Amino acid sequence: DGGRCVTSGSASEDDQDALPNQEAEGDNEEEQQVTPDSGLWELDRFFEKVELFFIRDNAKKAEKRLQFARERLLETKIMIKQNKLDAAAKAKDEHGKVLDSIKQDILQIKKSDSGEEVGELIDIEKKLDSHTADIKKDVVKLKIKAKFDKGLKKKQGFFEDLAEGFEGQAKTVKEEIVAKKEGIKEKLDK
């Protein structure tokens, strides 16, 4: 699996959504995570692109990308813990690129059955909401930690920008999903 985090291949799809929120598993994930400060990180991104190449269904592709976005969030947290802020910013930027690709996947979802299309959008939206909740939880922890840690206090602006970036990236995908669902509803109402 290219040395990526545990959620990439060893767990069932239902377990994958739960793993990032489980503390006991989190330590194991961090140990197996290839991070932006590693020479293997770019190779890991390449393997993700290869994996996506073989997924033809746009809804499934969006869900896989959300899994990758979760990995970028984890990588950012690891880099912050290690005080490697340039690498944390690199992971955040890659997170944004992944979410931009999800928006394109959403635009490409087209089913002959509108109900099926809306159902797929709702599934993606639920997973995005879970990811957004993780972002918000991590942002709160980061702000609290930065407030009381003298070393981090000096970097408060960096953390604020990081937090706003993550939240803004997720918000734009949510807006795309809502717009797509509204477009389908308008077609059905005609």
Side-chain angles (χ1 to χ4, degrees):
D1 81 281
R4 287 199 328 269
C5 94
V6 177
T7 60
S8 294
S10 63
S12 73
E13 200 167 300
D14 290 336
D15 292 339
Q16 290 173 356
D17 293 333
L19 286 177
N21 296 321
Q22 296 174 353
E23 290 299 321
E25 293 291 333
D27 293 338
N28 192 22
E29 276 184 303
E30 287 183 20
E31 291 172 10
Q32 296 185 22
Q33 189 70 33
V34 177
T35 55
D37 63 332
S38 166
L40 297 175
W41 194 70
E42 293 297 331
L43 183 63
D44 202 33
R45 301 296 64 72
F46 172 76
F47 285 125
E48 287 177 357
K49 289 175 184 169
V50 170
E51 192 173 348
L52 288 166
F53 176 78
F54 291 103
I55 301 173
R56 294 289 167 221
D57 182 272
N58 288 305
K60 298 255 185 268
K61 195 175 277 195
E63 289 178 8
K64 179 55 82 173
R65 287 189 208 274
L66 265 172
Q67 183 181 342
F68 295 152
R70 284 182 177 275
E71 290 181 26
R72 299 302 81 79
L73 181 61
L74 177 62
E75 292 163 359
T76 303
K77 291 180 344 187
I78 293 168
M79 293 294 87
I80 289 170
K81 280 183 186 178
Q82 295 177 6
N83 201 26
K84 297 179 178 179
L85 302 185
D86 288 341
K90 187 175 180 180
K92 184 209 59 113
D93 291 344
E94 189 65 28
H95 178 271
K97 291 176 186 175
V98 170
L99 290 182
D100 284 343
S101 295
I102 292 171
K103 289 191 295 189
Q104 295 306 310
D105 294 333
I106 289 165
L107 290 172
Q108 298 296 319
I109 296 173
K110 295 187 184 0
K111 302 288 180 186
S112 57
D113 178 2
S114 295
E116 183 182 354
E117 190 172 338
V118 169
E120 288 184 349
L121 290 168
I122 289 171
D123 288 344
I124 295 166
E125 185 175 25
K126 285 179 184 176
K127 289 178 182 179
L128 177 67
D129 288 345
S130 173
H131 181 64
T132 302
D134 288 345
I135 290 171
K136 289 181 180 183
K137 178 181 72 176
D138 291 337
V139 164
V140 167
K141 286 180 183 178
L142 184 61
K143 286 180 179 179
I144 291 170
K145 187 174 181 177
K147 197 171 201 170
F148 295 104
D149 184 322
K150 288 182 182 180
L152 294 179
K153 218 175 211 181
K154 297 173 189 171
K155 298 174 177 99
Q156 187 73 29
F158 171 81
F159 293 128
E160 292 290 332
D161 290 345
L162 195 70
E164 288 174 19
F166 272 124
E167 290 173 340
Q169 291 166 351
K171 183 180 177 187
T172 62
V173 177
K174 176 79 169 188
E175 290 167 351
E176 195 66 53
I177 292 171
V178 169
K180 177 95 176 188
K181 288 191 312 186
E182 287 175 0
I184 293 169
K185 184 180 182 295
E186 286 176 13
K187 283 183 193 175
L188 294 174
D189 289 344
K190 289 183 181 181

